[in-house]
Amino acid sequence: MDTIFAQASAPGRAGVAVIRISGPQAFAIAQKISGKRLEGRTSVLRNLQDSAGEVIDQALVLSFPGPNSFTGEDVIEFQLHGSIAVVRAMLSTLSEFPDTRIAEAGEFTRRALENEKLDLAQVEGLADLIEAETEAQRKQAVRVLSGHLGARVEDWRKDLIRAAALLEATIDFADEEVPIDVTPEVNDLLTKVGAELKAEIRGTHVAERVRSGFEVAIIGPPNAGKSTLLNALAGRDAAITSEVAGTTRDVIEVRMDLGGLPVTLLDTAGLRDSEDQIEAIGIERAIERSRLADLRVFLASPGESLMVSPEAEDIVLVPKADLVSNSENGVSGKTGQGVSDLIARIQTTLSKRSSGIGLATHERHRVALEQAVSCLGEVDAILTRGPDFYDLAAEELRFAIRALESLVGRIDVENLLDEIFTSFCVGK
């Protein structure tokens, strides 16, 4: 197997740059470059030299013998001064060693998966952690990276294996009198696992939203102050404002961090009947995005009819509160009146929804869980037909187990790996 290397820190000038090596030649290469033998699990300050014996830099060298390392292989990390020239010289020196090459995107993490240091769900959690922009995203990614989902999957898997074993025992002793009826225990196991799987599925929508961001649509008639309000919420001129009705023709998106939650605010075209073809397209898009949004903020005067109806948790406010005598439940993006209260209401509503968050954070996870639940439904139906059909029930249980195993990467995931690891940087 090749020994791989790459810069693990961000490219460009920095106080410190990190270069990582992983593979069978890692310690030998580090010894050659630093001039001295390295002990395992140590950090030492060494002068690093190129093939001509010229000093490249003075660096901190950390050594991690396998299998107790991130990749499960021998790993060396060089912490150098963050000079572009230093990093370039170091990478050039490493490339001169035989059977050594620069790592592909995500290859360090892929080796960790192959060496069973991480399961596939943890790999996805690590990718999410690298991409995390808000506190909620960070916490969610850390939970998955810590192996919580894999542990839950293993518990479900053990219960289903136990149920399948009980049914198999009944099949094996079909010609003999089985002293114990296994059906009650099998039913209890299926009920328990099925209920937990369904609860996890319900939480996947919220988990996916925390990962990708909640969408909050600002909707209302033309000239209701939607773009002005968006600019006030964003703290910058993200949308063009004008007294001319129909100025906003397309959906304008602004990403924000509200109390640790990722939120994308949507400024939509004013809702009205229009003969302008371009404006009509914008209105159609506004209606579609508002229906798909997680929360809607309606700017509408009392009694004003809109083309979209508010739902239970939607927020309805009186627009341009600075221009009306009764500004109760009003908001004004121009003066800032009611903006803080609106932010608090949005944050409170989305935080309540986030309380039901699950460990499964990707659509792939949800699909695997739904497949397992579907198989368990088939098992329930088959069991009612009696012991003569227990072999079919046991087979459906095996399908359910395989669905759960695919969630953590035990089987049938080879076609997913390339897509997953391309989201990683080269040094990860």
Side-chain angles (χ1 to χ4, degrees):
M1 176 181 288
D2 289 342
T3 298
I4 58 174
F5 65 90
Q7 182 176 353
S9 54
R13 293 181 180 85
V16 175
V18 177
I19 294 178
R20 174 183 291 169
I21 314 175
S22 179
Q25 301 299 318
F27 273 74
I29 291 171
Q31 180 177 335
K32 182 72 173 177
I33 292 176
S34 66
K36 295 181 181 179
R37 184 174 180 273
L38 294 174
E39 301 294 334
R41 307 196 72 78
T42 59
S43 59
V44 293
L45 189 65
R46 295 279 171 85
N47 287 328
L48 305 183
Q49 301 176 342
D50 61 17
S51 56
E54 185 176 343
V55 175
I56 299 172
D57 190 22
Q58 187 178 64
L60 186 66
V61 184
L62 291 81
S63 55
F64 307 91
N68 299 316
S69 68
F70 174 71
T71 62
E73 305 169 341
D74 288 344
V75 172
I76 296 291
E77 287 190 359
F78 299 104
Q79 295 188 6
L80 310 115
H81 294 97
S83 157
I84 295 174
V86 167
V87 171
R88 185 185 298 119
M90 189 66 182
L91 294 177
S92 176
T93 298
L94 291 174
S95 67
E96 296 173 0
F97 288 90
D99 300 320
T100 303
R101 60 176 174 81
I102 194 163
E104 298 174 357
E107 191 169 1
F108 288 95
T109 307
R110 186 161 189 159
R111 291 192 177 192
L113 174 67
E114 292 169 348
N115 293 324
E116 299 183 354
K117 306 302 290 186
L118 299 173
D119 63 38
L120 188 57
Q122 287 177 293
V123 168
E124 290 168 315
L126 177 56
D128 291 342
L129 181 60
I130 293 171
E131 295 293 329
E133 297 177 347
T134 71
E135 184 67 5
Q137 289 175 324
R138 182 193 67 79
K139 288 181 178 179
Q140 175 172 280
V142 167
R143 285 198 305 159
V144 179
L145 177 59
S146 299
H148 287 66
L149 179 57
R152 291 292 302 278
V153 169
E154 185 60 26
D155 289 341
W156 295 328
R157 180 175 172 275
K158 287 180 179 178
D159 285 343
L160 295 184
I161 289 175
R162 169 65 179 170
L166 291 171
L167 294 177
E168 294 283 1
T170 302
I171 296 168
D172 290 341
F173 293 97
D175 296 332
E176 305 176 22
E177 184 177 349
V178 180
I180 300 175
D181 181 10
V182 302
T183 306
E185 183 176 353
V186 170
N187 284 333
D188 288 344
L189 289 169
L190 296 182
T191 300
K192 171 181 174 291
V193 174
E196 292 177 358
L197 289 177
K198 290 175 183 176
E200 190 62 45
I201 290 171
R202 287 193 295 270
T204 56
H205 175 73
V206 176
E208 284 187 62
R209 277 318 208 189
V210 168
R211 187 172 64 86
S212 62
F214 291 94
E215 288 194 347
V216 177
I218 304 173
I219 57 179
N223 270 350
K226 299 183 296 299
S227 297
T228 303
L229 178 59
L230 176 75
N231 291 340
L233 292 170
R236 60 185 176 87
D237 289 338
I240 299 173
T241 60
S242 170
E243 295 299 324
V244 179
T247 300
T248 302
R249 299 297 182 94
D250 205 350
V251 177
I252 298 173
E253 301 183 5
V254 174
R255 195 168 178 86
M256 295 181 62
D257 180 343
L258 290 185
L261 292 173
V263 176
T264 299
L265 296 174
L266 308 176
D267 177 23
T268 61
L271 303 183
R272 67 173 178 177
D273 293 324
S274 176
E275 296 181 358
D276 185 315
Q277 185 178 2
I278 303 300
E279 184 182 2
I281 294 173
I283 292 170
E284 183 179 340
R285 290 182 179 178
I287 293 173
E288 181 63 23
R289 289 297 296 273
S290 67
R291 285 173 177 164
L292 296 174
D294 301 285
L295 182 66
R296 283 154 290 275
V297 177
F298 285 82
L299 298 184
S301 301
E304 188 168 16
S305 178
L306 294 174
M307 302 169 73
V308 180
S309 299
E311 297 180 2
E313 292 187 320
D314 287 342
I315 300 171
V316 182
L317 299 173
V318 176
K320 299 185 177 180
D322 55 305
L323 300 179
V324 297
S325 56
N326 183 8
S327 60
E328 183 180 356
N329 197 37
V331 66
S332 170
K334 186 174 183 179
T335 65
Q337 179 181 340
V339 172
S340 297
D341 291 339
L342 174 58
I343 292 175
R345 290 179 67 179
I346 294 173
Q347 183 177 329
T348 299
T349 301
L350 297 181
S351 295
K352 287 180 180 178
R353 295 187 188 183
S354 300
S355 63
I357 194 170
L359 287 170
T361 56
H362 290 249
E363 182 182 4
R364 183 185 72 82
H365 302 168
R366 178 182 55 77
V367 170
L369 293 171
E370 288 177 345
Q371 288 176 344
V373 168
S374 177
C375 292
L376 294 188
E378 291 293 330
V379 174
D380 284 335
I382 293 171
L383 289 179
T384 61
R385 298 164 66 183
D388 291 342
F389 297 90
Y390 279 5
D391 55 337
L392 297 178
E395 185 63 23
E396 285 292 338
L397 277 175
R398 283 191 283 272
F399 288 144
I401 293 169
R402 290 191 190 104
L404 295 178
E405 289 176 340
S406 71
L407 199 157
V408 292
R410 290 196 176 191
I411 61 169
D412 296 337
V413 295
E414 190 63 32
N415 59 327
L416 293 171
L417 297 184
D418 290 338
E419 180 180 348
I420 290 172
F421 287 114
T422 52
S423 67
F424 284 81
C425 59
V426 170
K428 198 62 181 176

